[in-house]
């Protein structure tokens, strides 16, 4: 079983690997002209970001894999979480490749991404339902009991995985936003997994925490590199898989509240415009709404980080109720 000191070591190792890989990867991506394109309808302040290297998620994926696979604690659960991270990152990579290399702005079609996501999600759900000592039960926050989803477990879990992954993807719209929020959320799951004695989840969560922390060195405003869909999809897949394999799926809307409201803002915006012709927000996802209200990008990011920290503290409290 992993101890507190080992968790700290894992975080530091992943952090250092990311710091080393960053300066190596950025010039390569620049030479390959793998630059981010900025939407014309987006905030005007983002125009200057056009051409910034993207697909930086490859750095985090590499750091997570190197850290975990050389830890000496590998088992099936760890491989499943890594599978989710790499598989979702792979979908994001293909999407990024089509957009920035082949210059097709729309990337993968929505149904193509969705089909791939659902297949990966079902694999994770089936694995957990067959191997977990809790079967189809999921821990309930703030209660010392579990809820058995029975035959609804696999469709429910698959839905959560797809929703979480796409929500993290939507959150990645400002320098350091998705990486910072995920850093805090992954640290929560590292501590929660440690509390429940789940070594695999503790290990990957710690590596994810370190990778996000290291990536922020290059991704905070003004960003030298973006994670792209490669990174945001990988982060979302990792968080979802960690939550599922620790039977803490119902904690995602709490500690990942920012992911939730970012996705909800897009859904409400689309529904409102289609039904009434009016927009609820100045722009969605939500972080752009605050930008257009006059908030500086850095302020939006720090506030969203602070809210995530508060939500994760509440999540930690719910473990001991």
């Amino acid at each position: 079983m992993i101890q507190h000191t080992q968790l700290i070591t894992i975080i530091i190792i992943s952090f250092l690997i990311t710091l080393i890989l960053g300066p190596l990867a950025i010039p390569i991506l620049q030479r390959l002209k793998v630059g981010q394109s900025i939407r014309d309808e987006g905030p005007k302040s983002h125009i200057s970001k056009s051409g910034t290297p993207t697909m930086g998620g490859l750095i985090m994926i590499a750091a997570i894999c190197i850290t975990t696979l050389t830890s000496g604690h590998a088992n099936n659960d760890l491989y499943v979480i890594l599978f989710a991270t790499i598989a979702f990152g792979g979908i994001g990579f293909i999407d990024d490749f089509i957009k920035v290399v082949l210059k097709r702005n729309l990337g993968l079609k929505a149904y193509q991404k969705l089909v791939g996501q659902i297949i990966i999600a079902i694999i994770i759900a089936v694995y957990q339902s067959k191997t977990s000592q809790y079967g189809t039960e999921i821990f309930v926050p703030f209660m010392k009991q579990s809820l058995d989803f029975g035959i609804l477990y696999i469709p429910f879990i698959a839905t959560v995985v797809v929703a979480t992954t796409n929500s993290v993807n939507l959150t990645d719209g400002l320098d350091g936003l998705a990486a910072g929020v995920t850093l805090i959320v992954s640290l929560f799951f590292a501590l929660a997994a440690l509390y429940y004695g789940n070594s695999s989840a503790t290990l990957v969560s710690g590596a994810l925490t370190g990778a996000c922390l290291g990536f922020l060195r290059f991704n905070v405003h003004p960003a030298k590199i973006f994670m792209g869909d490669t990174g945001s999809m990988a982060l979302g897949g990792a968080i979802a898989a960690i939550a599922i394999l620790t039977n803490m799926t119902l904690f995602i809307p709490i500690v990942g509240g920012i992911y939730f409201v970012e996705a909800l803002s897009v859904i409400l915006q689309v529904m409102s415009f289609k039904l009434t012709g009016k927009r609820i927000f100045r722009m969605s996802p939500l972080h752009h709404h605050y930008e257009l209200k006059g908030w500086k990008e850095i302020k939006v990011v720090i506030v969203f980080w602070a809210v995530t920290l508060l939500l994760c503290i509440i999540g930690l409290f719910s473990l001991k109720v």
Side-chain angles (χ1 to χ4, degrees):
M1 184 178 296
I2 291 179
Q3 304 299 320
H4 291 82
T5 53
Q6 292 173 297
L7 172 58
I8 294 172
T9 301
I10 289 295
I11 293 173
I12 293 173
I13 291 173
S14 184
F15 168 71
L16 292 175
I17 291 174
T18 308
L19 286 186
I20 293 170
L21 292 178
L24 297 175
I26 292 174
I28 295 174
L29 293 172
Q30 287 174 331
R31 285 197 296 272
L32 293 174
K33 300 186 184 303
V34 184
Q36 180 71 43
S37 59
I38 303 300
R39 293 184 301 167
D40 293 334
E41 65 272 21
K44 301 305 179 185
S45 60
H46 288 210
I47 295 176
S48 61
K49 300 182 181 187
S50 182
T52 301
T54 187
M55 300 170 77
L58 292 171
I59 299 171
M60 289 187 285
I61 294 172
I64 293 168
C65 290
I66 293 170
T67 303
T68 54
L69 294 176
T70 59
S71 67
H73 294 278
N75 59 25
N76 289 339
D77 281 4
L78 184 145
Y79 293 137
V80 169
I81 300 174
L82 289 185
F83 161 74
T85 305
I86 296 169
F88 278 108
I91 292 175
F93 176 83
I94 295 171
D95 196 38
D96 283 336
F97 185 85
I98 293 173
K99 285 187 284 190
V100 301
V101 177
L102 301 183
K103 307 301 181 184
R104 300 175 191 167
N105 291 335
L106 296 179
L108 285 171
K109 292 181 172 60
Y111 80 87
Q112 293 173 322
K113 285 191 278 191
L114 187 60
V115 169
Q117 291 170 351
I118 291 174
I119 291 172
I120 299 167
I122 290 175
I123 291 172
I124 298 168
V126 171
Y127 171 82
Q128 181 67 355
S129 67
K130 298 296 184 182
T131 62
S132 172
Q133 62 177 317
Y134 295 98
T136 55
E137 294 183 359
I138 301 175
F139 297 156
V140 180
F142 301 103
M143 299 177 67
K144 287 289 186 180
Q145 64 181 45
S146 299
L147 181 63
D148 193 341
F149 278 72
I151 60 172
L152 296 178
Y153 181 84
I154 291 176
F156 173 74
I157 292 297
T159 301
V160 169
V161 173
V162 173
T164 300
T165 305
N166 287 299
S167 296
V168 177
N169 182 244
L170 290 171
T171 303
D172 182 35
L174 300 179
D175 295 356
L177 180 56
V181 169
T182 304
L183 161 65
I184 299 167
V185 173
S186 60
L187 182 58
F188 161 81
F189 278 112
L191 296 174
L194 193 65
Y195 176 74
Y196 285 122
N198 189 317
S199 295
S200 298
T202 303
L203 177 60
V204 184
S205 299
L208 177 57
T209 301
C212 287
L213 182 60
F215 190 73
L216 281 174
R217 168 67 179 78
F218 314 104
N219 187 236
V220 291
H221 187 75
K224 298 179 179 65
I225 188 171
F226 298 138
M227 67 174 68
D229 287 355
T230 305
S232 60
M233 297 281 282
L235 296 187
I239 291 295
I242 290 166
I244 291 163
L245 267 66
T246 52
N247 296 295
M248 297 179 65
T249 311
L250 297 179
F251 284 77
I252 296 178
I254 299 175
V255 300
I258 289 296
Y259 302 147
F260 178 78
V261 297
E262 291 273 44
L264 184 62
S265 70
V266 174
I267 295 170
L268 292 176
Q269 186 86 321
V270 172
M271 289 178 61
S272 176
F273 189 74
K274 286 188 174 182
L275 293 175
T276 68
K278 297 180 180 179
R279 293 179 172 86
I280 299 174
F281 307 101
R282 296 191 179 186
M283 187 177 179
S284 64
L286 189 62
H287 54 260
H288 288 321
H289 169 76
Y290 286 107
E291 274 194 293
L292 295 181
K293 285 189 67 175
W295 287 28
K296 296 292 185 182
E297 180 174 350
I298 295 176
K299 178 180 178 180
V300 178
V301 171
I302 291 176
V303 169
F304 280 34
W305 285 358
V307 171
T308 301
L309 179 60
L310 177 61
L311 292 173
C312 285
I313 291 173
I314 294 172
L316 287 173
F317 174 76
S318 73
L319 296 176
K320 299 184 178 183
V321 170

